[in-house]
């Protein structure tokens, strides 16, 4: 099929979803018209103009760069409706009222081109109702494009086909959203709730229901029904607070109104009096006065366990310890053992909760085959791309095995769904291909668009050359090598760097550094440093840093090209690995930077060195380069997109590349490293100079002024001057320095800082509380 393109796109409705869709279209380099109602009063901003202000202030940012708002034209529906006559794709994202949507479609049909595609972002209303009054020609060009919020970051697009929708329309929308807007497209039938919300909201409601039945605290529920199950750490109640308890209540009601009468959702979709009372009192979550959680000097949590009165359950100081099963699951995952097993084993209420939650959710997902979809992959993809689950329901069923799955269902009083009664796995490897079974009983290769690849799927067809608990080295076609980090948060350890060093030796024709976890790497494992600091093991810290530096240096000077392919967060030591690659292919949502100063240390895996060298290459002046690098490093600056990271020389726009869709990241890296291999020569070791000693005086004065104003804490100055010591001449020192010399200065500065009680306190605070303290 010819690659789809749209030249004139409009979004009608400038609410959270409509403005987010418009922002992603602008992020992709396309102009878009955003229409909404008129201003409330003369001289006021219109809703579309207010939406632009929200986008500019959004956190996390919906825009990859604030300048992308220049691609968004705003207008008023009544005044600018004629502009829609020029469009070839119009996305409706107005209020979820069928009568209002129908009226809009009738107006559109009178002005749009005969080839213009119209799609709705509705999450609940079926196509058959939306366009039941429209002419056939309009129905043939109509689909549902259901994006998830926030649009920039949530990868799922549910593409829903109506009875009359032309196949070419669906193919064009699928291709453009995949290739240009970066979405993982799941094609859905016109069934209630589609796939993502139908399973995802049911899962959340089951979590609430079983919390009450098993007598768990909401903290224990979120600790269990979160990361240990491969679900985001917000769990159930934290996610409700984040989204808005009132909004979630509306979604539950909407789904209840459209799902079949015999659907299991109705067993958990009823109103909860306590939650209704919270909403009525303004306790709607993070945006309100608090929700299930709150803050009163310390984190507090609602006490639902044992509460059977009227009104709102009281707050109490939230638990700060994890359930033992959650700890055991994390330890199992670190060993690459199955983390679900420790959750399911046991006889207490927490284990019972885990068994019943998983049993009911997995059963519900399986019951949707074949009535809603013919393949488990659609449901798995919907949950992974739309709800950030690490594994989909059918992947979880395979992980625990048919026998244990049947045991879960028995405990819940549920029968095995017909699709799963044979007990066969849902995914298997056959002749080197990952296959998924369908409702017709046959197995087919997993379905991905041409040019797309997900390494967590590909990995199942490979055997590693070398592997440990933190990382693995794989051989790919074309004699290429791939280094994958897979520790918790992909934090780097000695084991991680052993695999990097192994790749530099067994390098094949080229090396790719990649994984498709949510984050590339959060940096070096601070827990290991904390243990060594508290034991006073300064020589051991220096030895670890030396081994890290040797590994990245070996990577840099390997006789074959090395391409880093990050997505998500690539910070600290994780980013230092990338700075020693020849080129990067980064997902456009990658966050890149060196953040060590925030916890009172300096980048010591070559980060200061590479930042200094890059700025010199850009500016041609060592003193200016030292100042620029020092400012970025001292403020622990990151770029929330490669485009913003380029301002800090963390992403080199004239050398590196980006892709919008994570599924196209690894194929582009393979293409690039293969092209580079034909005439590749490794880089020559740099010849560097230290900046003049007078610069240190300027830096010292800058920091002291900040301390005096109260902008910096005294230890901030200590850290900043240690960063300076790596790039600036000391008394009696020569000017020239080689790469090993810069490496050595990084290690020395790091050791000096970790010996201070202030840095120890910052590292402890980061690990204990999730954020560094200021001292």
């Amino acid at each position: 099929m010819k690659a789809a393109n749209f030249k004139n796109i409009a979004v009608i409705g400038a609410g959270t979803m409509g403005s987010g869709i418009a922002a992603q279209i602008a992020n992709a380099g396309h102009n878009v018209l955003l229409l909404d109602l008129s201003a409330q009063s003369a001289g006021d901003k219109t809703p579309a103009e207010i939406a632009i202000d929200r986008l500019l202030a959004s956190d996390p940012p919906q825009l990859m760069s604030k300048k992308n708002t220049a691609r968004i034209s705003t207008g008023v529906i009544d005044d600018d409706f004629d502009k829609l006559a020029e469009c070839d794709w119009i996305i409706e994202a107005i209020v979820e009222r069928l009568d209002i949507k129908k009226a809009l479609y009738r107006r559109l049909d009178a002005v749009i081109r005969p080839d213009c595609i119209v799609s709705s972002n509705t999450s609940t209303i079926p196509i058959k109702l939306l366009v039941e009054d429209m002419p056939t020609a309009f129905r043939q060009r109509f689909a549902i494009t259901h994006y998830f919020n926030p649009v920039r970051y949530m990868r799922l697009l549910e593409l829903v086909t109506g009875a009359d929708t032309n196949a070419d329309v669906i193919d064009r929308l699928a291709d453009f959203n995949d290739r240009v807007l970066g979405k993982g497209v799941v094609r859905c039938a016109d069934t209630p709730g589609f796939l993502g919300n139908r399973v995802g909201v049911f899962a959340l409601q089951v979590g609430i229901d079983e919390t009450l039945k098993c007598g768990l605290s909401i903290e224990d529920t979120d600790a269990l029904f979160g990361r240990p199950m491969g679900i985001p750490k917000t769990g159930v109640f934290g996610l409700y607070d984040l989204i808005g308890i009132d909004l979630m209540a509306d979604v539950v009601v909407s789904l209840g109104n459209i799902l079949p009468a015999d659907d299991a959702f109705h067993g958990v979709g009823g109103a909860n009096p306590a939650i209704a009372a919270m909403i009525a009192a303004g306790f709607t979550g993070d945006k309100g006065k608090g929700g299930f959680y709150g803050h009163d000097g310390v984190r507090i949590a609602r006490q639902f366990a044992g509460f059977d009165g009227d009104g709102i359950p009281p707050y109490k100081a939230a638990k700060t310890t994890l359930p033992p099963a959650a700890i055991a699951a994390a330890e199992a995952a670190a060993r690459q053992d199955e983390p679900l097993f420790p959750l399911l084993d046991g006889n207490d209420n927490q284990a019972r909760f885990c068994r019943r939650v998983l049993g009911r959710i997995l059963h519900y997902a399986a019951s949707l085959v074949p009535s809603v979809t013919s393949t488990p992959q659609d449901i798995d993809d919907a949950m992974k791309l739309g709800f950030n689950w690490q594994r989909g329901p059918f992947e979880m069923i395979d992980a625990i095995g048919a026998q244990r799955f049947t045991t879960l269902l028995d405990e819940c009083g549920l029968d095995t769904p017909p699709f799963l009664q044979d007990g066969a796995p849902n995914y298997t490897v056959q002749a080197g291909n990952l296959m998924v079974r369908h409702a017709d009983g046959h197995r087919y290769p997993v379905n991905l668009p041409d040019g797309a690849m997900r390494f967590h799927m590909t990995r199942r067809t490979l055997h590693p050359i070398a592997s440990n608990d933190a990382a693995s080295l794989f051989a790919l076609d074309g004699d290429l090598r791939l280094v994958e980090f897979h520790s918790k948060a992909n934090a780097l350890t000695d084991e991680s760097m052993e695999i990097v060093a192994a790749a530099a030796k067994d390098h094949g024709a080229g090396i790719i550094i990649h994984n498709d976890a949510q984050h590339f790497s959060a940096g070096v494992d601070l827990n290991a440093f904390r243990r060594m600091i508290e034991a006073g093991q300064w020589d051991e810290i220096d030895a670890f840093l030396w081994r890290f530096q040797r590994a990245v240096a070996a990577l840099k000077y390997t006789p074959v090209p090395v391409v880093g392919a990050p997505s998500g967060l690539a910070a600290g030591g994780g980013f230092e690995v990338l700075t020693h690659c020849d080129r990067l292919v980064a997902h456009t949502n990658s966050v890149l930077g060196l953040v060590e100063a925030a916890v009172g240390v300096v980048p010591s895996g070559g980060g200061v060195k590479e930042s200094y060298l890059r700025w010199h290459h850009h500016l041609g002046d060592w003193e200016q380069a030292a100042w620029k690098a020092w400012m970025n490093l001292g403020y622990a600056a990151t770029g929330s997109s490669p485009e913003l990271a380029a301002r800090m020389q963390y992403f080199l726009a004239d050398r590196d590349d980006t892709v919008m869709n994570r599924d196209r990241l690894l194929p582009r890296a393979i293409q690039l490293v293969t092209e580079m291999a034909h005439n590749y020569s490794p880089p020559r070791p740099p010849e560097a100079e230290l900046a003049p000693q007078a610069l240190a005086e300027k830096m010292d004065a800058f920091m002291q002024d900040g301390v005096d104003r109260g902008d910096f804490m005294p230890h901030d100055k200590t850290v900043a001057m240690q960063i300076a010591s790596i790039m600036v001449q000391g008394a009696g020192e020569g000017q020239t320095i080689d790469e090993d010399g810069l490496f050595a200065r990084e290690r020395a500065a790091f050791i000096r800082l970790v010996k201070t009680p202030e840095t120890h306190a910052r590292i402890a605070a980061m690990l204990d509380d999730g954020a560094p303290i200021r001292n």
Side-chain angles (χ1 to χ4, degrees):
M1 186 189 78
K2 182 180 178 181
N5 197 18
F6 294 98
K7 295 182 179 179
N8 295 291
I9 306 173
V11 178
I12 304 176
T16 298
M17 291 305 302
S19 60
I21 295 166
Q24 186 66 356
I25 293 168
N27 287 335
H30 286 254
N31 295 328
V32 59
L33 173 64
L34 180 62
L35 299 182
D36 207 300
L37 301 176
S38 303
Q40 290 187 344
S41 304
D44 290 349
K45 288 186 175 183
T46 67
E49 291 169 336
I50 294 171
I52 299 299
D53 293 339
R54 287 200 315 270
L55 291 175
L56 290 169
S58 58
D59 184 22
Q62 292 267 35
L63 296 161
M64 295 175 187
S65 172
K66 291 185 177 182
K67 70 181 183 182
N68 289 348
T69 56
R71 300 191 183 108
I72 306 175
S73 302
T74 60
V76 173
I77 293 173
D78 288 341
D79 298 341
D80 300 295
F81 207 78
D82 59 322
K83 294 180 180 179
L84 299 173
E86 305 168 4
C87 293
D88 48 7
W89 180 24
I90 297 171
I91 305 159
E92 171 269 301
I94 63 174
V95 63
E96 289 284 84
R97 283 264 306 272
L98 181 60
D99 57 332
I100 297 176
K101 290 179 186 288
K102 284 186 170 184
L104 175 63
Y105 300 156
R106 287 192 292 270
R107 289 186 65 186
L108 285 173
D109 191 46
V111 302
I112 61 176
R113 292 165 24 181
D115 61 345
C116 176
I117 294 173
V118 179
S119 67
S120 173
N121 186 58
T122 181
S123 61
T124 57
I125 306 175
I127 289 180
K128 62 184 177 183
L129 295 180
L130 290 172
V131 296
E132 61 185 351
D133 303 325
M134 299 303 296
T136 300
F138 187 92
R139 297 199 304 267
Q140 290 172 339
R141 306 191 316 277
F142 188 90
I144 289 174
T145 47
H146 179 219
Y147 298 89
F148 280 63
N149 185 47
V151 179
R152 175 183 170 187
Y153 298 98
M154 299 308 294
R155 299 170 62 194
L156 178 62
L157 171 74
E158 291 182 316
L159 180 56
V160 184
T161 305
D164 298 310
T165 312
N166 283 341
D168 176 67
V169 167
I170 295 298
D171 289 342
R172 288 185 65 197
L173 289 172
D175 178 69
F176 187 84
N177 277 277
D178 158 36
R179 189 175 41 80
V180 179
L181 299 188
K183 296 302 169 187
V185 179
V186 174
R187 302 190 187 205
C188 301
D190 191 23
T191 56
F194 316 136
L195 286 176
N197 279 344
R198 187 162 181 178
V199 177
V201 177
F202 177 81
L204 294 173
Q205 291 298 110
V206 168
I208 294 175
D209 187 53
E210 290 295 344
T211 297
L212 300 177
K213 288 178 177 177
C214 296
L216 264 61
S217 68
I218 68 171
E219 308 98 289
D220 282 346
T221 287
D222 286 348
L224 295 165
F225 189 33
R227 282 178 172 167
M229 290 190 186
I231 293 169
K233 66 178 181 179
T234 48
V236 178
F237 298 97
L239 183 58
Y240 265 63
D241 277 358
L242 180 65
I243 294 173
I245 300 171
D246 54 339
L247 294 178
M248 284 302 305
D250 290 342
V251 171
V252 170
V253 170
S254 295
L255 283 171
N257 289 337
I258 62 174
L259 288 171
D262 61 349
D263 195 280
F265 183 86
H266 299 296
V268 293
N272 180 296
I275 293 176
M278 289 170 57
I279 296 171
F283 290 100
T284 55
D286 295 347
K287 66 178 181 178
K289 299 189 297 184
F292 292 110
Y293 295 100
H295 286 276
D296 185 16
V298 295
R299 193 178 191 226
I300 50 180
R302 297 281 177 197
Q303 301 301 300
F304 277 81
F307 178 79
D308 55 5
D310 296 329
I312 302 173
Y315 275 130
K316 186 178 179 181
K319 292 183 178 181
T320 58
T321 56
L322 290 174
I327 297 172
E331 292 172 346
R335 299 190 303 270
Q336 298 190 69
D337 292 336
E338 177 51 55
L340 293 178
F341 292 160
L343 299 176
L344 303 177
D345 296 334
N347 297 312
D348 59 10
N349 282 341
Q350 293 179 0
R352 179 169 173 262
F353 167 83
C354 292
R355 289 194 298 269
R356 291 185 58 82
V357 160
L358 275 179
R360 294 173 71 182
I361 294 169
L362 300 183
H363 177 272
Y364 187 73
S367 72
L368 301 181
V369 180
S371 61
V372 175
T373 180
S374 64
T375 168
Q377 187 190 341
D378 285 345
I379 296 174
D380 284 347
D381 283 355
M383 298 313 299
K384 290 187 292 186
L385 302 179
F387 283 79
N388 277 336
W389 289 19
Q390 291 179 10
R391 294 183 292 193
F394 293 90
E395 291 172 318
M396 290 187 188
I397 291 171
D398 284 355
I400 63 176
Q403 182 175 352
R404 193 183 287 256
F405 175 60
T406 301
T407 302
L408 296 184
L409 299 187
D410 290 343
E411 182 169 344
C412 298
L414 298 169
D415 295 328
T416 302
F419 177 65
L420 298 178
Q421 284 182 351
D422 63 359
N426 297 293
Y427 295 87
T428 57
V429 176
Q430 297 178 3
N433 296 309
L434 183 60
M435 312 290 282
V436 59
R437 66 170 174 169
H438 285 226
D440 63 7
H442 297 291
R443 294 186 180 274
Y444 302 91
V446 292
N447 182 34
L448 292 173
D450 290 341
M453 188 176 182
R454 295 176 187 162
F455 187 68
H456 74 275
M457 291 181 168
T458 304
R459 185 201 305 117
R460 296 182 61 172
T461 69
L462 304 174
H463 296 285
I465 297 172
S467 184
N468 55 42
D469 288 345
S472 297
L473 176 64
F474 294 92
L476 303 180
D477 291 344
D479 196 30
L480 301 181
R481 301 292 183 266
L482 185 143
V483 173
E484 180 199 33
F485 301 135
H486 47 64
S487 59
K488 181 180 179 181
N490 288 332
L492 303 183
T493 64
D494 254 332
E495 289 185 313
S496 310
M497 303 316 292
E498 286 173 7
I499 298 298
V500 172
K505 294 179 180 178
D506 183 1
H507 48 67
I511 302 171
I512 297 168
I513 315 292
H514 171 75
N515 63 75
D516 59 4
Q518 184 176 1
H519 296 300
F520 174 79
S521 173
V524 170
D525 181 10
L526 286 177
N527 286 291
F529 277 126
R530 182 182 188 177
R531 289 191 293 270
M532 289 187 284
I533 291 168
E534 292 174 352
Q537 296 174 328
W538 316 122
D539 289 343
E540 287 81 353
I541 293 174
D542 184 72
F544 170 84
L545 296 175
W546 184 87
R547 289 190 295 272
F548 191 110
Q549 292 173 348
R550 290 305 94 197
V552 294
L555 193 69
K556 180 175 181 178
Y557 297 112
T558 296
V560 297
V562 181
V563 171
S567 59
L569 179 66
F575 181 67
E576 287 180 297
V577 173
L578 296 176
T579 64
H580 293 83
C581 297
D582 292 295
R583 294 177 70 174
L584 299 185
V585 179
H587 182 236
T588 45
N589 285 347
S590 298
V591 178
L592 309 175
L594 296 165
V595 297
E596 285 85 347
V599 290
V601 294
V602 300
S604 300
V608 178
K609 166 183 70 73
E610 289 298 318
S611 184
Y612 184 39
L613 294 173
R614 288 180 178 204
W615 274 111
H616 179 261
H617 179 78
H618 181 64
L619 298 172
D621 181 277
W622 291 109
E623 183 173 353
Q624 293 181 40
W627 180 263
K628 286 285 192 179
W630 182 72
M631 292 294 284
N632 289 338
L633 298 166
Y635 280 108
T638 61
S640 59
S641 68
E643 183 177 355
L644 297 180
R647 301 176 185 178
M648 307 164 203
Q649 298 299 303
Y650 291 155
F651 181 85
L652 304 180
D654 59 346
R655 184 200 77 171
D656 299 331
D657 197 5
T658 62
V659 295
M660 286 287 286
N661 193 326
R662 285 179 58 160
D663 292 345
R664 297 181 178 275
L665 188 60
L666 181 53
R668 176 60 182 136
I670 291 172
Q671 177 188 18
L672 185 58
V673 78
T674 302
E675 293 170 353
M676 294 171 62
H678 293 305
N679 296 294
Y680 179 77
S681 296
R684 297 177 59 185
E687 296 178 358
E689 295 181 9
L690 296 173
Q693 189 175 356
L695 182 61
E697 299 173 6
K698 177 182 176 181
M699 292 172 170
D700 186 277
F702 177 90
M703 292 304 302
Q704 189 59 50
D705 286 346
V707 171
D708 293 343
R709 290 192 307 269
D711 296 339
F712 304 136
M713 300 301 291
H715 195 60
D716 294 331
K717 179 182 176 183
T718 302
V719 175
M721 296 315 296
Q722 287 302 319
I723 296 171
S725 73
I726 299 166
M727 300 176 285
V728 181
Q729 282 179 287
E733 288 187 316
Q735 190 172 20
T736 61
I737 191 168
D738 61 14
E739 194 165 26
D740 284 342
L742 289 170
F743 270 138
R745 292 168 85 93
E746 287 182 348
R747 298 200 310 276
F750 190 97
I751 296 296
R752 287 192 290 268
L753 285 169
V754 295
K755 288 182 176 180
T756 66
E758 294 87 352
T759 286
H760 179 206
R762 289 193 182 186
I763 291 174
M766 172 66 81
L767 295 173
D768 294 341
D769 304 327
I773 59 173
R774 307 294 304 199
N775 47 35

